[in-house]
Amino acid sequence: MAGGLLLSGALAALLTTALPASTSSPVFDDPPPDKIVIDVATVNGSGCPQGTAAVAVSPDNTAFTVTYSNYLAQVGGNSDPTAFRKNCQLNLVVHVPQGFTYAIASADYRGFLSLQPGATSTQKASYYFQGSPNTAQKTHPFNGPYNDDWQATDSTDWAQLVWAPCGVLRNFNINTELRVAAGSSAPGKVSFMTMDSTDGDISTVYHLAWQQCPPK
């Protein structure tokens, strides 16, 4: 696989704190001119050991990318008994230009998948703002036999987007998971699922929608 894998997740539904009453506020097709800055507060999980995940913002402010270099779940053969499930939780501090708020509009998840006949796997993602009681999640199942790149896309209608609260800095949490089950596959045969590649990193790109905050 050339270059990084893009993971852009319709995380919008995950953003739980709604924008204060401002239904007339326009939605901007173009992002604000000032740059957004994303700081990684914490990275935890078996799918993203220390030093194997990084975050970058696109030059045009329309997306941010999470790059993984060691995200692999597998079963069978000499696999570690705990290797069937890998996860990663990112806790991000998103600094947006003054007067704007954002929502996650879409996400495409990609990787490589090798499933023996009878084996299954799932890719799961969930998202929420710090302090919010609501969590949105999407799950994508796959069945063997399978030996190819995989891709899953989530998207959220504009009317259903949930926006980050205006004027309040809330950490944004992204939880992803890969899980592989041997099922009825032949004993000893290996099945695996990655958000990682042999010749480059895999990145997850979260596409942003922008809206102007109501005047105070």
Side-chain angles (χ1 to χ4, degrees):
M1 272 175 283
L5 292 181
L6 299 184
L7 267 163
S8 40
L11 318 181
L14 67 114
L15 308 184
T16 58
T17 308
L19 182 69
S22 61
T23 54
S24 61
S25 295
V27 172
F28 288 80
D29 292 330
D30 296 324
D34 295 333
K35 298 190 68 172
I36 62 173
V37 177
I38 297 178
D39 297 322
V40 180
T42 58
V43 179
N44 294 299
S46 55
C48 52
Q50 186 174 4
T52 66
V55 179
V57 179
S58 67
D60 62 0
N61 285 0
T62 60
F64 64 90
T65 300
V66 182
T67 301
Y68 301 97
S69 60
N70 188 20
Y71 206 154
L72 166 70
Q74 67 177 38
V75 294
N78 296 320
S79 303
D80 187 287
T82 64
F84 75 97
R85 176 186 176 274
K86 294 295 179 71
N87 77 294
C88 183
Q89 175 169 329
L90 301 173
N91 187 304
L92 307 177
V93 183
V94 182
H95 305 271
V96 301
Q98 185 174 4
F100 287 85
T101 184
Y102 73 96
I104 305 298
S106 67
D108 299 321
Y109 300 87
R110 302 178 193 168
F112 189 80
L113 180 59
S114 179
L115 293 178
Q116 299 293 329
T120 61
S121 69
T122 56
Q123 178 271 328
K124 181 187 297 185
S126 62
Y127 323 85
Y128 63 95
F129 281 117
Q130 182 181 22
S132 169
N134 300 321
T135 300
Q137 74 175 30
K138 298 286 187 178
T139 300
H140 299 279
F142 299 87
N143 298 312
Y146 197 112
N147 190 46
D148 203 347
D149 295 336
W150 63 271
Q151 180 172 346
T153 299
D154 297 334
S155 60
T156 302
D157 293 337
W158 283 101
Q160 301 302 316
L161 292 178
V162 183
W163 302 87
C166 281
V168 179
L169 186 61
R170 296 278 179 84
N171 287 15
F172 182 57
N173 291 274
I174 302 171
N175 295 294
T176 57
E177 176 184 306
L178 300 181
R179 186 184 294 260
V180 182
S184 60
S185 61
K189 294 289 187 178
V190 175
S191 293
F192 66 89
M193 186 177 196
T194 74
M195 277 199 283
D196 156 326
S197 64
T198 57
D199 61 346
D201 295 334
I202 288 180
S203 37
T204 69
V205 179
Y206 299 92
H207 295 281
L208 302 176
W210 294 96
Q211 191 173 53
Q212 189 172 35
C213 290
K216 293 182 180 180

